[in-house]
Amino acid sequence: MASPASRIDSPSRRRLAVLAIGAVLAVVLTVVAVVLAMTTAASFTAGMTAHAPFSPTEADGMIPAEAPLTVSDDRHPAMTGLDGDLREALRSAQAAAAPEGVVFDVTSGWRSEEYQRWLLGDAIRTYGSEALAREYVASPEDSSHVTGRAVDIGSLDAQLWIIEHGREWGLCQTYANERWHFEKATDAGGECPEPKPDARG
Ligand SMILES: [Zn+2]
């Protein structure tokens, strides 16, 4: 039979044990929180350091929004970096469209890998997730702009003209959700392949 003293002591020992466990847990959680905060801060800083210096320039194929190129441009890397067949197809099609007053305004052509990576990062920030961003911006590994096999055309009348007549020069809209994006995707006069749903391919 237990003595009165032990009946009193037992609950207080349990309280002490609970307090001790609580104190240990608090210390462990604090250490974990501090380590996590330091790791996050370190990787954030590393990320900023790795990406902050890059800003796309003309040498990366960047075309200022207010100054699109014509397809006859033979100086800008966005045009000189294009696949020769695509460039010639664009120039021939432009010659045919000109009498109708249609001007192909090139807003993007060849892009460097760094520029494409930067665009994807920018789109991820805009859309909030990589999955959404990838519907509009391909990775550097997948982008047909990086290989010089795609152009983006700015004005609606030029886009619609190429969608209607482009296949005579093998020019095709290759993504259903990008009315502005064209590639040389068939032979002159051939049938354009069915556009892919989006840039995820
Ligand atoms: Zn494009």
Side-chain angles (χ1 to χ4, degrees):
M1 185 167 171
S3 70
S6 72
R7 277 203 303 275
I8 293 163
D9 284 348
S10 185
S12 83
R13 271 203 299 275
R14 276 204 297 276
R15 272 199 300 276
L16 272 176
V18 166
L19 280 175
I21 290 168
V24 168
L25 267 179
V27 169
V28 167
L29 284 176
T30 304
V31 168
V32 167
V34 167
V35 167
L36 271 179
M38 286 169 67
T39 311
T40 308
S43 64
F44 182 74
T45 308
M48 294 302 285
T49 311
H51 295 114
F54 182 77
S55 178
T57 65
E58 181 175 310
D60 294 296
M62 194 195 71
I63 302 170
E66 69 280 6
L69 306 176
T70 66
V71 295
S72 57
D73 185 289
D74 55 7
R75 178 197 59 83
H76 197 292
M79 282 302 298
T80 59
L82 285 185
D83 175 74
D85 284 352
L86 171 60
R87 197 170 46 233
E88 287 315 307
L90 284 166
R91 287 174 178 172
S92 300
Q94 170 65 91
E100 299 174 40
V102 175
V103 176
F104 298 175
D105 49 340
V106 177
T107 57
S108 198
W110 170 84
R111 300 171 190 151
S112 71
E113 274 189 46
E114 293 75 16
Y115 183 16
Q116 187 69 29
R117 192 171 295 115
W118 181 86
L119 283 173
L120 181 58
D122 195 49
I124 290 170
R125 282 188 290 279
T126 300
Y127 294 107
S129 80
E130 177 158 4
L132 269 177
R134 286 291 308 276
E135 291 183 23
Y136 295 96
V137 182
S139 70
E141 294 75 24
D142 298 332
S143 174
S144 45
H145 284 282
V146 172
T147 56
R149 296 181 180 278
V151 288
D152 294 341
I153 299 294
S155 68
L156 180 60
D157 63 340
Q159 293 167 2
L160 296 179
W161 196 96
I162 299 174
I163 288 170
E164 186 176 352
H165 305 288
R167 71 176 194 88
E168 290 177 39
W169 297 271
L171 297 171
C172 305
Q173 176 190 358
T174 52
Y175 298 124
N177 71 336
E178 295 189 19
R179 195 183 54 213
W180 53 85
H181 176 104
F182 299 97
E183 301 181 24
K184 185 161 186 327
T186 188
D187 294 327
E191 284 296 321
C192 284
E194 190 69 20
K196 295 169 183 170
D198 56 51
R200 290 171 300 185

